[in-house]
Amino acid sequence: MGGAISLLAVNFIIAQIFTAAFLIIAAKSRQRRAALWCAAGFAVASLAAICETIVPFSSTPRFFAVSAFACVLGGFCLLRFGLGLFYQVPARLPLLGAFFAAGVALDLAIYDLPRGTWQHAIPYQAPFVVIQAWTASVVLRSGRRTFFDWVLFGLLALSAAYYLIKIYAAVAAGSGATAQDYVSSPFALISQALGAILIVGAGLAMLGVMVKEIVDDAQARSEIDLLSGLYNRRGFIERVMPLLHARATPTPGTLILADLDRFKLVNDTYGHLTGDEVIRRFARVLMDVMPNRAVAGRLGGEEFAVFLPCTDLSEARVVAHGMRAAIMSQQIGGLPEAARVTASFGVTAVGSGEALDPVIQRADKALYAAKANGRNRVECAEAPTTVVNPSVPHWIGRS
């Protein structure tokens, strides 16, 4: 009995550690509700260890035995709800509540059946098999396929199989004739040891997917310009670099550089709040006009960039003209009614196998030409026929 009770104590401590870990995750993650439900799941499930420890010494073993069953099943149901929120495959609370109530009612109904028999083992373990398999299905249905997602799915599926195997093990090894006998049976020792391993594995996998979400969010925030909502320079380059070499094609894409005309004058005359609104409005124009597959970023100040993958120069020129016309049509708060914001654009195609730096330099020269030739215009530069000296453009002129 001492060994089984020691393992129950270990399981309780492990569950408390995971409860605390998920509470910490809840304070750091945008998936706060999901983490809180998972914390509640481990906290409730841990109470089963206390109930099972009391069973052999209690004058009312039925209450504590059924309570232990209810705590484990309730904890699993809470984890199913929490992971459903995280993976955006939610479970309806009434359905989950009905499942929990049915499971507890079933345990009460079979309580007086002899333990270690098929009549008792099958209905006792069946709710655990179902809830673990149900939870594992959440990962698959979500469509997420990261390493931690696969590990979590595997451990949850293994847990479902574990409770299925326990049906046979309870009959073959014997789980004691009564609830009091269970704690002193060899079956209890093995069951609690394997249970502890699965708790640790599944808990770590759940923490893994949530910590990865926090890291990904932090990285995404570090690559987003807060004022415009577009990628900053780092984020833009990180997104564009893979697109340059994503497929072997003679037309990798085109780069549009845009610069707001006389933006310093706007700031000096109408204030920085108005200037900020101009930045935000131009960012929305870029997002509205550019194709869905394009990537937009604010490189700094009033300079913006848009990369259009697998798009030739003539198509990109049309897009740039659309952006130029769209920003001119905007009435922006803080500016006089007759005032209109304009922008200049430099457009260049990307040569096959060309690096990003010379492309940016060539587009920047086209943008400089647009500024020098009167602003509020689009200038284009062809990609070099051979990538030898890609910084030297072949000028097309005003379009």
Side-chain angles (χ1 to χ4, degrees):
M1 180 183 295
I5 290 179
S6 297
L7 282 173
L8 286 170
V10 170
N11 286 354
F12 177 81
I13 293 171
I14 290 172
Q16 296 307 310
I17 292 172
F18 279 115
T19 299
F22 280 106
L23 289 174
I24 294 171
I25 293 291
K28 301 292 183 180
S29 173
R30 63 183 175 88
Q31 296 279 6
R32 183 173 182 273
R33 290 182 60 218
L36 287 175
W37 281 95
C38 289
F42 275 98
V44 170
S46 71
L47 299 178
I50 298 175
C51 293
E52 288 190 9
T53 302
I54 295 174
V55 165
F57 311 103
S58 173
S59 59
T60 55
R62 178 191 297 264
F63 172 79
F64 289 103
V66 173
S67 295
F69 177 94
C71 287
V72 175
L73 185 60
F76 286 168
C77 287
L78 292 172
L79 288 173
R80 163 61 185 93
F81 192 79
L83 287 177
L85 292 175
F86 179 82
Y87 281 104
Q88 298 182 348
V89 185
R92 290 182 295 170
L93 272 176
L95 178 61
L96 207 53
F99 172 80
F100 170 75
V104 175
L106 181 62
D107 186 47
L108 280 168
I110 65 171
Y111 181 82
D112 292 322
L113 292 177
R115 291 174 176 264
T117 64
W118 295 108
Q119 294 91 335
H120 183 275
I122 292 175
Y124 186 88
Q125 301 295 345
F128 300 124
V129 176
V130 171
I131 190 64
Q132 293 294 76
W134 190 6
T135 306
S137 73
V138 167
V139 184
L140 285 184
R141 290 163 59 194
S142 72
R144 290 177 42 143
R145 296 293 183 268
T146 69
F147 171 76
F148 283 112
D149 296 318
W150 280 116
V151 170
L152 179 56
F153 167 75
L155 287 168
L156 290 171
L158 186 62
S159 294
Y162 162 72
Y163 284 105
L164 197 61
I165 293 170
K166 280 183 71 173
I167 296 174
Y168 171 78
V171 177
S175 57
T178 65
Q180 294 98 318
D181 296 335
Y182 165 77
V183 177
S184 59
S185 67
F187 174 78
L189 190 62
I190 297 171
S191 175
Q192 293 299 326
L194 290 176
I197 294 171
L198 288 173
I199 286 173
V200 171
L204 288 175
M206 292 178 201
L207 286 174
V209 296
M210 292 192 179
V211 168
K212 184 180 184 302
E213 188 84 1
I214 292 173
V215 172
D216 289 346
D217 283 349
Q219 182 178 1
R221 284 195 296 271
S222 72
E223 295 179 349
I224 296 295
D225 173 60
L226 296 181
L227 178 58
S228 67
L230 304 178
Y231 290 114
N232 57 25
R233 179 180 288 270
R234 172 188 171 186
F236 179 78
I237 293 174
E238 288 288 331
R239 296 307 183 282
V240 171
M241 289 298 290
L243 297 175
L244 289 177
H245 310 290
R247 63 184 72 179
T249 172
T251 311
T254 50
L255 179 68
I256 301 174
L257 288 187
D259 192 276
L260 291 165
D261 295 330
R262 298 185 175 90
F263 183 70
K264 184 177 184 300
L265 184 62
V266 172
N267 273 333
D268 292 344
T269 306
Y270 303 104
H272 288 281
L273 290 179
T274 300
D276 289 349
E277 182 57 29
V278 170
I279 293 289
R280 284 190 287 265
R281 188 68 63 88
F282 188 54
R284 286 199 293 270
V285 164
L286 298 183
M287 295 294 290
D288 289 342
V289 175
M290 73 184 196
N292 290 335
R293 64 186 185 279
V295 180
R298 182 186 178 203
L299 302 188
E302 64 271 25
E303 187 176 11
F304 296 78
V306 179
F307 181 76
L308 288 73
C310 302
T311 304
D312 62 27
L313 192 59
S314 61
E315 294 175 296
R317 181 192 298 121
V318 172
V319 173
H321 272 299
M323 294 170 176
R324 186 184 64 83
I327 190 60
M328 282 183 63
S329 68
Q330 301 288 313
Q331 174 62 53
I332 299 176
L335 293 178
E337 186 174 347
R340 290 295 182 267
V341 173
T342 64
S344 300
F345 296 81
V347 186
T348 188
V350 180
S352 181
E354 190 175 17
L356 183 58
D357 283 347
V359 177
I360 293 176
Q361 291 172 17
R362 194 165 58 250
D364 194 54
K365 288 184 178 181
L367 175 59
Y368 178 81
K371 291 283 190 181
N373 290 332
R375 298 184 176 87
N376 188 27
R377 56 193 287 145
V378 176
E379 295 282 356
C380 299
E382 285 279 15
T385 55
T386 57
V387 183
V388 177
N389 186 15
S391 63
V392 179
H394 171 68
W395 294 106
I396 294 177
R398 184 178 180 183
S399 55

